[in-house]
Amino acid sequence: LIKENGGFLPYDQWMQAVLYAPQVGYYSGGSTKFHLEGDFTTSPELSPLFGQTLASQVQQILQQCGQTTILEFGAGSGALAESLLVALADLGLDQVNYYILELSPSLRARQQARLAPFADQVQWLDHLPQDFVGCVIANEVLDAMPVHLVQRGTDEQVLEIGVALNQEPQIDSPSPFMLVGRPASGGLLRLAQQRLPQIAGYRSEINAQAESWIREMGHWLKKGAALLIDYGFSQREYYHPQRATGTLMCHFRHFAHDESLILAGLQDVTAHVDFTAIADAALEAKLDVLGYISQAHFLMNCGITQHLEALQAQLDLDNPVHLQSWTQQVSAVQKLLSEAEMGELFKVIALSKDIDPPLVGFMMRDRRDFL
């Protein structure tokens, strides 16, 4: 690809290739991605209480839609779908139609095996729907969309950063690839000029694909709400002067680092989400922004502590097996809620069409005024 593009591959195309190239990309290859045997652990993998708690918000959205249809993007191992379907059935919604749009063949196979007990209740899609009514869920999807990499030059110039072949790898830079820059142009230049601080050498990301995806949602979401859960910041925080090297992060065997040019196709490459840009794209697409909140406060609003108490009541804590299970669930919930773990870094944003507020997950500590 680098050679075909004249020696310069824009970073978003690099990220697209290392994550999604058929058979050899990180998500299209066959390696295990999630949980202890993989490279990272997502919230649904930590505890089924995450999905059980999310079910309260999903139920409210479905009731307003008059439909029992859910569409999940990038369903991972299927853990969230499984816990959601069980919890919704307990709430009286046992006829939910659950659709999954999954780009990874290996992950789709894992999902199909895990969700087989639900039979035809779960179906997989190959394309975006043209018309959808119901609840949309995307947990850690936006961060995996390819981003543009841009940098302020030493003068007024803005550079688009791309990847070239490293003709002389050094001991301290063993990768066969290297980052290089060229003058940015067009829409990318305009966005970079608007968003990047006036600091020479400042480098960061612009997720134009995610913003385009949100604008497309305005066309196919006819009635309902999308719950987008991911790590990120408002634009003021995202492009803070002290965040001068951007937010790119890689994961390999539970080791997080920022060397995105190594282990091509073998490691996850992500960027944090600019939630202000997501909200702006939603408004442009005639979608309502019904809430923006930390994951911790969203889960507490939806009743995760009550779910934990109900679980405790079901267990015999004098039984060592039950005690161990209880301890594991308490530890998982602490990680989901802790400001030092996932509780503050992860945010939830709700985008909707024809849904009346307030939503239960955003009743207290809504941060839309931060966007």
Side-chain angles (χ1 to χ4, degrees):
L1 285 172
I2 292 171
K3 291 177 180 177
E4 290 172 2
N5 282 269
F8 180 97
L9 188 66
Y11 193 85
D12 63 317
Q13 294 182 38
W14 158 268
M15 192 168 166
Q16 175 72 34
V18 298
L19 293 181
Y20 302 108
Q23 284 80 55
V24 294
Y26 179 75
Y27 282 106
S28 52
S31 64
T32 300
K33 280 73 177 174
F34 301 103
H35 211 35
L36 297 179
E37 69 275 20
D39 298 304
F40 53 89
T41 301
T42 63
S43 295
E45 296 284 346
L46 279 174
S47 171
L49 291 173
F50 180 86
Q52 292 172 22
T53 304
L54 183 62
S56 298
Q57 182 59 88
V58 173
Q59 179 192 35
Q60 182 191 13
I61 293 168
L62 294 180
Q63 286 174 338
Q64 285 208 41
C65 290
Q67 296 275 3
T68 54
T69 307
I70 297 172
L71 171 59
E72 184 179 2
F73 287 86
S77 68
L80 180 55
E82 180 182 48
S83 57
L84 259 179
L85 285 165
V86 170
L88 289 170
D90 291 340
L91 293 171
L93 297 175
D94 55 358
Q95 299 299 318
V96 170
N97 295 310
Y98 203 105
Y99 295 98
I100 294 174
L101 185 59
E102 178 59 65
L103 298 178
S104 168
S106 61
L107 288 178
R108 179 186 283 214
R110 286 183 66 186
Q111 295 158 15
Q112 290 172 335
R114 183 170 194 158
L115 301 174
F118 297 97
D120 293 340
Q121 196 175 352
V122 183
Q123 298 181 42
W124 282 260
L125 304 178
D126 295 318
H127 306 285
L128 280 170
Q130 292 185 341
D131 300 285
F132 182 80
V133 176
C135 182
V136 178
I137 300 170
N139 181 60
E140 292 196 53
V141 170
L142 296 174
D143 68 83
M145 292 185 178
V147 298
H148 292 279
L149 198 56
V150 289
Q151 180 174 320
R152 286 279 184 193
T154 53
D155 46 25
E156 292 298 314
Q157 188 180 48
V158 174
L159 300 176
E160 176 184 17
I161 304 301
V163 181
L165 294 175
N166 186 0
Q167 305 295 346
E168 299 180 2
Q170 304 295 320
I171 293 177
D172 60 345
S173 179
S175 172
F177 309 104
M178 58 188 294
L179 294 177
V180 294
R182 70 180 182 188
S185 61
L188 181 62
L189 174 60
R190 289 192 295 273
L191 289 175
Q193 288 174 329
Q194 292 168 9
R195 299 179 186 180
L196 295 186
Q198 294 285 348
I199 300 174
Y202 190 99
R203 178 182 294 178
S204 194
E205 308 85 32
I206 293 175
N207 197 335
Q209 183 170 320
E211 295 171 42
S212 177
W213 185 68
I214 297 298
R215 285 190 287 268
E216 288 178 16
M217 187 185 295
H219 296 292
W220 55 261
L221 181 61
K222 301 305 179 184
K223 181 181 176 66
L227 301 172
L228 312 180
I229 308 164
D230 229 311
Y231 42 88
F233 314 100
S234 68
Q235 203 159 91
R236 284 172 294 179
E237 298 170 286
Y238 196 97
Y239 298 109
H240 192 281
Q242 293 181 346
R243 193 168 281 113
T245 57
T247 72
L248 280 175
M249 188 62 62
C250 306
H251 300 89
F252 182 76
R253 299 295 181 264
H254 293 273
F255 176 70
H257 63 92
D258 62 0
E259 296 290 339
S260 68
L261 300 187
I262 65 172
L263 299 171
L266 299 177
Q267 67 175 358
D268 190 23
V269 182
T270 72
H272 288 48
V273 177
D274 173 358
F275 280 103
T276 302
I278 296 300
D280 287 343
L283 295 175
E284 184 180 335
K286 303 296 191 293
L287 294 169
D288 297 316
V289 181
L290 290 192
Y292 169 67
I293 197 169
S294 71
Q295 176 176 282
H297 288 118
F298 176 82
L299 292 174
M300 287 190 285
N301 286 340
C302 289
I304 194 169
T305 54
Q306 290 88 334
H307 285 290
L308 194 60
E309 290 169 1
L311 176 63
Q312 181 183 18
Q314 297 169 13
L315 298 175
D316 175 9
L317 298 186
D318 292 328
N319 182 318
V321 175
H322 285 196
L323 179 60
Q324 182 181 14
S325 176
W326 167 247
T327 302
Q328 289 173 343
Q329 293 305 313
V330 169
S331 175
V333 170
Q334 287 177 337
K335 187 168 185 177
L336 291 171
L337 300 182
S338 170
E339 288 191 4
E341 297 278 357
M342 304 173 81
E344 175 58 32
L345 179 59
F346 279 73
K347 311 295 193 308
V348 186
I349 192 168
L351 312 178
S352 70
K353 186 174 289 185
D354 256 353
I355 296 294
D356 295 326
L359 295 182
V360 62
F362 304 86
M363 291 288 286
M364 298 178 64
R365 304 294 183 92
D366 187 355
R367 297 186 186 177
R368 274 175 291 178
D369 57 329
F370 280 46
L371 288 171

